[in-house]
Amino acid sequence: MSEYGAVPFALMIVIVIYIVIGEYFKSIHFHLIHETSFGIIIGMLVGLLLKWMDENAYAQFFSLNATIFFYLLLPLIIFSGGYNLKKKQFLKNFKYIVSFGFLSTLINFIITLTLTIAFNSWKLVRLGTNLDSHLPLSYDEMIKYSATICATDSVAALNLIPSQQYPKLFSVVFGEGMVNDAVSIIIFQAVTILQQSGKSFEWYTPFEFIGRFLENCIISLLIGLFVGLFSTWCFKKCRFLTNSTTTETVFAFLMAYMGYSICEMLNLSGVISLLMIGIMMSHYQGYNISQLGRVTTRVTFESLSLGAEAFLYVFLGFAMWNQTTYYSPLTQDLYYVEVSWVFTLLQLGIVILARYLSIYIVYWISIIIQGPKVWKLTKYEMSICCFAGMVRGSVAFALIETLVASPTDGIQINQINILQSCVLYIVVITTVIFGTAMPFFINIQIKKQLDEEERKSISEVPTPVLSDSPKKKELSEAQKIIKYMDEHYFKRWFIYDYENRKEKITQEKKQIKTETLQEIYEKSFSEASEDESVKQRNEDFISLPTIEEKPTSPLIVKMQELSQQI
């Protein structure tokens, strides 16, 4: 038996407990503590026990391998988010998502870097509890740290915002979180490439950084667009791929992972590429696979994403006690290092300040350029966006773990450990404290907004209604062009037999808006598919009695009633 067998066993047990308790909290609408916070806390308790039992094994096992995160866990989370994205709301609020996810992240990075350099110059990076000791940080490390700490985590807020009641707010928080992670990774990669080039800082270096940043974004988007459409085209032309839902699911994921790998191989953003692949597959490819395959892919990708997120949050709790030791895989030695509590508390304040400043600077820029009437987010919705973005998550922790110190350089080991421990502590503190306060804050802001809307409705003078039907919002010229190209060209090119299936596809889109995932799943078994192989497979899977048959058991009676209702 392996001496480390108890560690993964304990990890799996805690993950199972995390998933069970999380679903139980949702079922009873218990929001006093979020399940992510619970996962971190229980991970901390079990991790402390494991460290007490065998500190050496604990230090070796709970040093997060960044390769595992970026090539296994992160793709599952990002692809699921893009594949199950509500595209209509995403495009409708695209301006706010890009403004907060792109521009606000850049502003956050600049503010964080400026204040971090200032604190370092003021000798506020102190070791442990000794306020007289000072360990200076290099500019390269501070730049990478600033890029890392910009990555937010809005999972807690998304679980507390009713998507049906507040679709705009939900889509903005969700979309901004996805774009923010991608932009933070791109900033980190751009900074790393510039540092590896060995060039000294010149007046044109910021412009070179912006150029690399934009180049990375554009090329990654184009690669994602190409791979997503190519996968869709394969399902359109190779109809034998739809003979099995297993083949449909595996082929779709492998194509998405191939696009991610291409970008990583070219030092581009695999996250942006994967997000674009998921959106393209969801928009076009869903109509080239069987109806059962559509549901199966959604459920499979959501399940994989849930497992990856559960592992990450529990692992963060386990790794909490690993910051006072440094395990070198080269020498296989265990070093005892210090953390900087002063620096950590200062950075926590920077996280809060930079978040609010970056959001409202973007708001002020928009007001100056377009005027106040164009901005539709209320002050209460913006407050929720600010609060949700203060939580830091697994992306920040994984990015900072890519920093590796020389095993013989004690000063560099301490410098990197200070940054890594600071990020981990900020992730844990913001997730537990802000995540716990999230439901109360959101409820207060929503209540204030409802009260204000009620006061406005009472004070306004009623106007005569000219029509019984509500006036449909006019599309902009850009939206009209995109919709025309989509309907008349792209869907014809990439959707199988679109001309003859156009009405059926339109009906299915309307049903998706009103039916739950379970209802669609049940219907997929009873409806006949146009593909004979898929039809035969569904008939083999479930066979219902006809009307003329006399059922002989209550189960068959219930199945017959269900088939008639569907």
Side-chain angles (χ1 to χ4, degrees):
M1 180 182 294
S2 173
E3 59 178 327
Y4 303 119
V7 177
F9 175 75
L11 184 61
M12 293 302 108
I13 291 294
V14 174
I15 291 175
V16 171
I17 295 175
Y18 164 80
I19 294 176
V20 172
I21 296 297
E23 290 303 316
Y24 177 71
F25 284 171
K26 290 179 182 178
S27 65
I28 63 174
H29 304 286
F30 179 79
H31 300 306
L32 183 59
I33 182 172
H34 195 259
E35 63 253 32
T36 56
S37 304
F38 177 81
I40 291 177
I41 292 173
I42 192 174
M44 290 170 57
L45 296 176
V46 178
L48 183 62
L49 177 62
L50 291 175
K51 183 176 182 178
W52 175 74
M53 294 172 59
D54 191 340
E55 185 175 8
N56 191 47
Y58 174 84
Q60 292 183 45
F61 193 87
F62 290 106
S63 296
L64 179 64
N65 190 328
T67 303
I68 295 178
F69 176 82
F70 285 107
Y71 285 94
L72 180 61
L73 301 177
L74 185 62
L76 297 176
I77 299 172
I78 298 298
F79 180 61
S80 174
Y83 193 82
N84 296 293
L85 180 70
K86 294 184 178 180
K87 299 177 292 296
K88 185 175 181 180
Q89 286 295 329
F90 183 85
L91 295 175
K92 188 176 180 180
N93 300 292
F94 187 74
K95 178 182 72 174
Y96 307 110
I97 292 172
V98 173
S99 298
F100 291 156
F102 182 83
L103 184 58
S104 178
T105 304
L106 286 175
I107 296 173
N108 196 324
F109 168 71
I110 295 172
I111 295 173
T112 303
L113 177 60
T114 303
L115 293 177
T116 302
I117 293 175
F119 289 154
N120 184 64
S121 64
W122 296 337
K123 299 182 179 181
L124 293 177
V125 184
R126 309 298 173 85
L127 287 177
T129 57
N130 186 3
L131 301 181
D132 296 328
S133 62
H134 166 62
L135 183 66
L137 301 175
S138 67
Y139 283 100
D140 290 349
E141 293 166 352
M142 288 188 290
I143 292 174
K144 287 184 178 180
Y145 165 80
S146 300
T148 295
I149 205 64
C150 292
T152 64
D153 187 357
S154 53
V155 173
L158 290 174
N159 292 333
L160 299 171
I161 300 174
S163 59
Q164 299 295 331
Q165 190 175 359
Y166 302 99
K168 178 174 67 175
L169 179 60
F170 184 89
S171 64
V172 170
V173 173
F174 175 79
E176 188 234 341
M178 299 290 290
V179 176
N180 170 270
D181 287 344
V183 172
S184 299
I185 295 174
I186 293 176
I187 294 175
F188 189 88
Q189 291 175 335
V191 168
T192 303
I193 292 173
L194 286 176
Q195 291 176 353
Q196 291 174 350
S197 64
K199 296 180 180 179
S200 59
F201 188 86
E202 303 290 345
W203 64 269
Y204 56 82
T205 302
F207 299 99
E208 185 179 359
F209 167 77
I210 295 174
R212 288 186 179 275
F213 177 82
L214 294 176
E215 177 188 14
N216 197 326
C217 288
I218 295 172
I219 298 178
S220 300
L221 283 172
L222 292 177
I223 291 176
L225 182 67
F226 173 78
V227 174
L229 293 178
F230 178 73
S231 176
T232 301
W233 182 83
C234 289
F235 276 107
K236 177 184 177 182
K237 295 298 182 180
C238 307
R239 298 302 299 163
F240 55 85
L241 291 174
T242 63
N243 291 346
S244 168
T245 55
T246 304
T247 303
E248 293 170 338
T249 305
V250 173
F251 184 84
F253 180 76
L254 291 179
M255 290 297 294
Y257 196 84
M258 182 179 69
Y260 180 84
S261 302
I262 291 173
C263 288
E264 291 297 318
M265 181 177 61
L266 299 176
N267 290 324
L268 299 172
S269 175
V271 174
I272 285 188
S273 177
L274 201 58
L275 186 62
M276 176 59 69
I277 292 171
I279 294 174
M280 289 295 102
M281 285 186 177
S282 175
H283 188 62
Y284 296 112
Q285 185 172 289
Y287 301 109
N288 290 340
I289 60 180
S290 63
Q291 189 172 7
L292 181 59
R294 253 172 276 165
V295 180
T296 303
T297 51
R298 286 179 59 186
V299 173
T300 301
F301 298 148
E302 284 185 359
S303 301
L304 293 174
S305 176
L306 174 63
E309 289 180 353
F311 174 84
L312 286 173
Y313 284 113
V314 171
F315 191 93
L316 288 175
F318 271 81
M320 184 70 176
W321 312 108
N322 201 24
Q323 300 308 303
T324 57
T325 56
Y326 176 81
Y327 175 78
S328 175
L330 298 177
T331 61
Q332 296 185 350
D333 291 328
L334 197 64
Y335 301 92
Y336 288 91
V337 292
E338 295 281 356
V339 298
S340 178
W341 297 109
V342 174
F343 183 74
T344 301
L345 293 176
L346 290 174
Q347 287 298 324
L348 183 60
I350 291 177
V351 166
I352 300 173
L353 177 64
R355 176 61 181 178
Y356 271 94
L357 285 179
S358 62
I359 290 294
Y360 282 98
I361 287 174
V362 169
Y363 167 70
W364 294 328
I365 292 173
S366 177
I367 294 300
I368 293 173
I369 296 176
Q370 296 181 314
K373 293 184 179 180
V374 179
W375 190 269
K376 301 300 182 182
L377 284 180
T378 66
K379 58 183 179 182
Y380 305 110
E381 292 172 335
M382 288 182 60
S383 297
I384 294 175
C385 291
C386 286
F387 198 84
M390 286 192 294
V391 179
R392 297 298 183 264
S394 55
V395 173
F397 179 63
L399 282 174
I400 203 66
E401 287 292 315
T402 59
L403 300 182
V404 180
S406 172
T408 59
D409 190 345
I411 295 178
Q412 190 181 29
I413 289 175
N414 274 314
Q415 289 173 337
I416 291 180
N417 187 76
I418 284 174
L419 297 178
Q420 290 177 342
S421 61
C422 176
V423 171
L424 177 60
Y425 294 150
I426 288 177
V427 169
V428 172
I429 291 172
T430 55
T431 302
V432 174
I433 297 179
F434 295 156
T436 302
M438 192 79 67
F440 304 101
F441 184 83
I442 290 178
N443 289 336
I444 290 173
Q445 298 301 316
I446 289 178
K447 187 177 184 301
K448 287 181 178 179
Q449 179 171 329
L450 293 176
D451 292 341
E452 184 174 309
E453 290 175 354
E454 185 177 354
R455 287 195 299 270
K456 285 183 179 180
S457 63
I458 294 174
S459 60
E460 287 178 353
V461 179
T463 56
V465 180
L466 301 178
S467 175
D468 294 334
S469 60
K471 185 178 179 180
K472 191 175 181 179
K473 185 178 179 180
E474 289 290 333
L475 299 176
S476 64
E477 291 298 325
Q479 290 174 325
K480 290 180 181 178
I481 294 174
I482 293 174
K483 186 175 182 180
Y484 179 84
M485 295 292 292
D486 185 53
E487 291 291 338
H488 292 81
Y489 294 99
F490 296 130
K491 286 184 178 179
R492 298 172 190 265
W493 293 343
F494 295 106
I495 295 181
Y496 171 73
D497 196 19
Y498 180 71
E499 291 295 333
N500 298 326
R501 298 171 58 216
K502 186 175 181 180
E503 293 184 3
K504 183 179 179 181
I505 290 174
T506 304
Q507 292 176 356
E508 289 178 356
K509 290 173 66 176
K510 293 179 180 178
Q511 290 173 356
I512 291 175
K513 296 179 181 179
T514 57
E515 294 180 347
T516 63
L517 188 63
Q518 181 65 27
E519 291 171 340
I520 297 174
Y521 190 70
E522 292 173 352
K523 183 175 289 189
S524 64
F525 288 108
S526 57
E527 287 188 351
S529 173
E530 292 185 1
D531 195 327
E532 292 298 325
S533 58
V534 176
K535 178 179 178 181
Q536 183 63 41
R537 183 175 72 252
N538 292 345
E539 289 175 351
D540 293 340
F541 188 85
I542 180 169
S543 178
L544 298 178
T546 58
I547 302 298
E548 290 77 9
E549 292 178 352
K550 294 183 179 181
T552 57
S553 68
L555 177 61
I556 298 181
V557 173
K558 189 66 177 177
M559 294 175 66
Q560 181 178 346
E561 293 175 354
L562 178 62
S563 64
Q564 292 175 355
Q565 293 174 1
I566 295 177

